[in-house]
């Protein structure tokens, strides 16, 4: 580990200990580094900005309340993403309603709707394909959607996904396989 990484690790460890003792400033500093990824996961799971913001905010509250119980059995980031994912899944279960992602949501998530070399027809076709893919992802059952999003969109390993979703690797692989099949 180089000197800069070692100093950062020590700083994070100190912030974590302070946050576990109720230091709000330390908690905010820790969360600042995780906030954008929490929101991205929430956005993919919930399908729109407003619900994603609500879930990310609820996840932060849950993390704050549970901070004292973090034992370090996984990385802090993994623990945070597990809580974020569970918050989204809880909300989806509560609603039992699937929503379609708007083009604005896709753009916010990093998809570029316009290629300067595109003709209007190409742009329209790509937009339709993106909207169809987004709608298909949103139509997947929540557990399948979570696994597919984390693997194919966020790039997590099977082991990381299993840890975050608190499931065994075989179950995760099965969910991803079935989800991909449904998307096809």
């Amino acid at each position: 580990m180089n000197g800069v990484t070692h100093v950062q690790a020590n700083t994070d460890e100190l912030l974590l200990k302070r946050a576990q003792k109720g230091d709000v400033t330390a908690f905010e500093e820790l969360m600042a580094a995780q906030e954008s990824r929490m929101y991205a996961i929430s956005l993919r799971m919930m399908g729109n900005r407003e619900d994603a913001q609500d879930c990310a905010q609820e996840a932060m509250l849950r993390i704050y309340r549970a901070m004292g119980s973090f034992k370090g059995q996984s990385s802090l980031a993994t623990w945070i993403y597990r809580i974020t994912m569970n918050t989204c899944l809880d909300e989806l279960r509560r609603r039992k309603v699937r929503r379609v992602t708007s083009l604005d949501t896709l753009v916010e998530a990093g998809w570029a709707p316009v290629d300067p070399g595109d003709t209007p027809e190409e742009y329209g076709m790509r937009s339709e394909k993106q909207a169809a893919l987004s709608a298909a992802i949103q139509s997947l059952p929540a557990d399948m959607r979570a696994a597919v999003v984390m693997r194919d969109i966020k790039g997590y390993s099977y082991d990381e996904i299993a840890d975050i979703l608190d499931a065994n690797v075989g179950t995760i692989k099965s969910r991803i396989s079935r989800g991909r099949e449904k998307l096809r």
Side-chain angles (χ1 to χ4, degrees):
M1 185 168 1
N2 68 35
V4 173
T5 308
H6 184 69
V7 169
Q8 182 61 44
N10 286 341
T11 302
D12 289 348
E13 217 173 284
L14 184 61
L15 285 172
L16 176 61
K17 287 179 182 175
R18 287 179 34 212
Q20 288 179 315
K21 293 179 183 175
D23 183 332
V24 175
T25 303
F27 175 78
E28 288 173 350
E29 285 183 50
L30 279 175
M31 297 311 323
Q34 308 297 330
E35 192 172 7
S36 64
R37 290 178 68 190
M38 289 173 64
Y39 176 74
I41 288 171
S42 297
L43 182 60
R44 287 287 179 203
M45 289 301 295
M46 301 311 296
N48 67 63
R49 286 182 266 179
E50 294 78 19
D51 290 344
Q53 289 168 342
D54 289 346
C55 281
Q57 194 170 41
E58 175 64 24
M60 280 203 188
L61 288 171
R62 289 182 184 187
I63 292 164
Y64 181 76
R65 290 182 193 127
M67 186 58 73
S69 68
F70 176 69
K71 303 291 185 231
Q73 294 170 335
S74 63
S75 73
L76 180 63
T78 298
W79 184 72
I80 287 169
Y81 302 135
R82 179 182 303 137
I83 291 173
T84 303
M85 186 61 69
N86 286 338
T87 301
C88 293
L89 291 170
D90 289 348
E91 179 63 19
L92 289 169
R93 281 185 206 110
R94 188 182 71 76
R95 290 186 197 171
K96 299 268 186 192
V97 173
R98 309 279 186 237
R99 292 193 178 165
V100 176
T101 302
S102 70
L103 184 56
D104 287 340
T105 303
L106 295 174
V107 171
E108 181 179 335
W111 290 3
V114 177
D115 179 342
D118 275 356
T119 66
E121 293 81 17
E122 290 169 332
Y123 169 76
M125 292 293 289
R126 188 173 53 253
S127 293
E128 285 180 28
K129 285 179 184 178
Q130 288 173 345
L133 177 61
S134 181
I137 289 171
Q138 291 302 312
S139 73
L140 292 173
D143 59 345
M144 229 180 265
R145 182 182 340 151
V148 169
V149 165
M150 295 183 85
R151 178 69 183 165
D152 294 338
I153 296 174
K154 295 297 175 190
Y156 287 102
S157 72
Y158 291 113
D159 290 332
E160 290 171 320
I161 298 167
D163 194 25
I164 291 169
L165 295 179
D166 198 24
N168 68 49
V169 173
T171 300
I172 296 303
K173 288 180 178 180
S174 174
R175 287 177 185 170
I176 291 168
S177 176
R178 288 190 334 248
R180 287 174 178 165
E181 186 60 35
K182 285 185 178 225
L183 289 174
R184 279 188 203 101

